[in-house]
Amino acid sequence: MSVKDTQSLETICVHAGVEPDPKHGAIMTPIYQTSTYVQPAPGQPLTYDYSRGGNPTRAALETSLAALERAKHALSYASGLAAEQAIMQVLEPGARVIVSEDVYGGTGRLFRKLFARYGFQFDFLDLRDLNAVAAAVDNKTQLIWVETPTNPLLRIVDIAGICAIAKKAGAKVVVDNTFTSPIFQQPLSLGADLVIHSTTKYIGGHSDLIGGALMTNDDELAEKLRFVQFAGGAVNSPFECFMLLRSIKTLALRMERHNTNALAFARSLEDSGDFQSVIYPGLESHPQHALARKQMSGFAGVVSVYLKRDMAGVTRFLQNLRLIALAESLGGVESLANHPEQTTHASVPPELRQKLGINAQLVRFSIGIENVNDLIADVRQALQR
C-alpha cells in the first residue's frame, strides 16, 4: 500500500519517501555519501551534479518531511537555526517581522544580534492577544513568526486567528511546530504559509543529530527557499539524512508515549503541592487548555514548573536528579531537565525575562519514553534530598 492510499500519519511515518533500492532491493534508503556525480556530457547530469544542490538521501528525507506536514514542499537544513536564516533571507530588505515575545532564545538572539543589523525590524508581542496583533500589523509587516506551544512557557497561540489577521495585511505566517511535531499539530491546515522544525528534537528523537526543516504549500516561496538552500549550503550530510529517515519511522509511536507520560507526570506534580505551578497544555488548569484541545490532537512531552526554592535550592534539586539528566534540548527518548534562565534563554534581555517569568524558579522538563512512575519517583527523591 502506497502513502497515497492512506491518510494515516502512522503509515506516512513508516513509508513516505522510502522506496526499495532498484539495483539491489535494499528496503532502507542508501546513504549516498558522495560530494559529486559523474556526468555523461558537460552540463548534462543524470539527476544531481553536486551534493550541496541535491542528494538522493536528502531528497528521500524531504519527501518524508513534506508528507508528515501534508505539504507540497519540504527542505532540510543543517540545523533549525539554519532553516530560520533561510526564511529571513527570502524576505525583502527592511522587512518588519512580528514575533512571539517568548520565542526560543536562539531565535531571539538570531533576530536581535544578527538580522537587526541589516535593517530588519522585529517586534516581540504576546501573540495570544489577537487584538494587539491586529493593531500592530502594518503595510511593512511581511511575516508573523509564531511559536505554539511557546518555549519554555508553553503558551498557546491561535494559529487560525493569527493567519486571518496576516491574510488581511498581505503578510505570511510561519509556525514553529517543533514542540508538538507534525503528529499533534498541522499548522498548514490552519492557514499557515510555512512550518519550521528543529529536527534535532522530536523528529530526530534520539539526541544524536542536529537538523532543521521547512515545509510549505507555496510554490513561489519554496522556489526562493530552495535557491537559498543551494546558494547558502546549510544542508545536512547524507548520514544525518539517513538517521532522520530512520527516526521518522517511529515518530508516531514515540509521540504517543511522550504525550501519555508527560500528562501523567504533570498531573502528579500538580497534585503533589510541591511546586508553585505546573504548566502543561494537557492540564485542565492551563489557561488555554480549550484552545490547545481545538488545534492540537496531543500535547507532546514538555512540562514546565516553578519550584518553591531559591536559585541555590533549584540548583541542588537539578543536581539531585538521578534518572532525568540536566541538559539543554528536548524531544529525545530520554528525559531531560533544563534551566532556561541560565541556558536556552540566557540571551534574552534580562528585563524581558523578568517580564515573562523566565526566572530562577523555572525548570523545563522534556519527558521521555521511560516508565513514568520512575520519572515521578526521581523528582520526589530530588525534592527530598
Side-chain angles (χ1 to χ4, degrees):
M1 180 172 61
S2 72
V3 172
K4 293 181 180 179
D5 297 326
T6 180
Q7 297 297 311
S8 166
L9 281 171
E10 291 86 350
T11 301
I12 287 172
C13 285
V14 175
H15 292 285
V18 179
E19 298 289 344
D21 172 43
K23 185 173 182 179
H24 301 292
I27 195 167
M28 296 302 299
T29 302
I31 303 173
Y32 288 89
Q33 195 69 45
T34 185
S35 60
T36 192
Y37 305 81
V38 174
Q39 301 182 22
Q44 298 180 25
L46 296 174
T47 303
Y48 305 101
D49 56 9
Y50 193 65
S51 275
R52 171 166 44 82
N55 177 279
T57 315
R58 191 168 84 239
L61 171 62
E62 290 176 340
T63 299
S64 178
L65 291 169
L68 285 173
E69 285 286 1
R70 305 191 188 279
K72 290 174 65 177
H73 309 280
L75 300 91
S76 187
Y77 295 84
S79 70
L81 285 169
E84 293 186 0
Q85 290 187 71
I87 296 172
M88 296 307 303
Q89 288 167 327
V90 302
L91 298 182
E92 295 299 320
R96 181 168 180 245
V97 181
I98 294 175
V99 189
S100 298
E101 65 179 355
D102 60 332
V103 74
Y104 163 56
T107 302
R109 179 177 57 230
L110 181 73
F111 292 166
R112 295 184 182 98
K113 300 294 186 181
L114 183 58
F115 282 101
R117 296 168 54 196
Y118 299 102
F120 291 95
Q121 178 185 345
F122 298 97
D123 293 305
F124 293 83
L125 302 178
D126 184 348
L127 299 191
R128 295 174 299 178
D129 187 343
L130 296 182
N131 291 328
V133 175
V137 172
D138 60 20
N139 59 8
K140 290 187 65 178
T141 304
Q142 291 188 27
L143 188 67
I144 301 179
W145 193 289
V146 176
E147 267 189 19
T148 183
T150 60
N151 179 9
L153 300 174
L154 304 178
R155 294 175 174 179
I156 306 299
V157 177
D158 185 342
I159 297 173
I162 292 290
C163 291
I165 294 169
K167 185 176 181 180
K168 289 181 180 179
K172 293 190 181 297
V173 174
V174 55
V175 176
D176 188 331
N177 205 25
T178 298
F179 264 41
T180 55
S181 89
I183 303 302
F184 291 146
Q185 188 166 264
Q186 299 271 313
L188 295 179
S189 70
L190 297 171
D193 300 283
L194 190 61
V195 171
I196 186 168
H197 285 273
S198 170
T199 54
T200 309
K201 311 304 192 299
Y202 286 118
I203 292 177
H206 295 78
S207 303
D208 56 7
L209 57 83
I210 300 290
L214 299 175
M215 296 82 148
T216 184
N217 287 320
D218 186 320
D219 295 338
E220 182 180 359
L221 181 57
E223 184 178 356
K224 291 178 179 179
L225 290 167
R226 189 72 67 185
F227 175 77
V228 171
Q229 184 194 45
F230 166 71
V235 295
N236 316 75
S237 74
F239 180 74
E240 287 169 325
C241 293
F242 173 85
M243 295 282 281
L244 282 164
L245 278 168
R246 171 221 59 182
S247 294
I248 288 170
K249 287 181 177 291
T250 61
L251 178 61
L253 288 172
R254 289 186 284 106
M255 293 310 299
E256 180 181 352
R257 183 58 175 260
H258 285 300
N259 184 75
T260 302
N261 273 1
L263 182 57
F265 182 86
R267 282 179 173 160
S268 177
L269 268 56
E270 186 174 55
D271 292 343
S272 73
D274 291 325
F275 299 87
Q276 291 181 21
S277 60
V278 178
I279 308 169
Y280 183 66
L283 292 174
E284 291 78 5
S285 59
H286 191 287
Q288 295 165 288
H289 176 66
L291 176 58
R293 288 180 61 88
K294 179 181 178 182
Q295 70 183 24
M296 301 162 66
S297 60
F299 310 104
V302 177
V303 179
S304 292
V305 302
Y306 286 95
L307 275 79
K308 299 176 181 179
R309 302 285 193 278
D310 58 13
M311 185 62 206
V314 171
T315 298
R316 288 194 298 273
F317 167 77
L318 292 170
Q319 290 174 331
N320 286 338
L321 291 168
R322 294 170 175 167
L323 184 60
I324 302 172
L326 175 60
E328 296 190 36
S329 198
L330 60 103
V333 293
E334 63 289 308
S335 294
L336 304 176
N338 173 53
H339 192 263
E341 183 192 49
Q342 298 294 319
T343 57
T344 54
H345 290 70
S347 63
V348 176
E351 63 277 9
L352 180 56
R353 284 205 310 266
Q354 182 178 5
K355 172 192 171 186
L356 294 172
I358 302 176
N359 56 29
Q361 285 69 45
L362 180 64
V363 170
R364 188 194 74 191
F365 291 101
S366 173
I367 303 304
I369 66 171
E370 305 97 334
N371 185 296
V372 70
N373 293 323
D374 294 334
L375 302 177
I376 294 168
D378 193 29
V379 169
R380 287 175 179 164
Q381 66 82 24
L383 288 170
Q384 291 170 358
R385 293 175 62 198

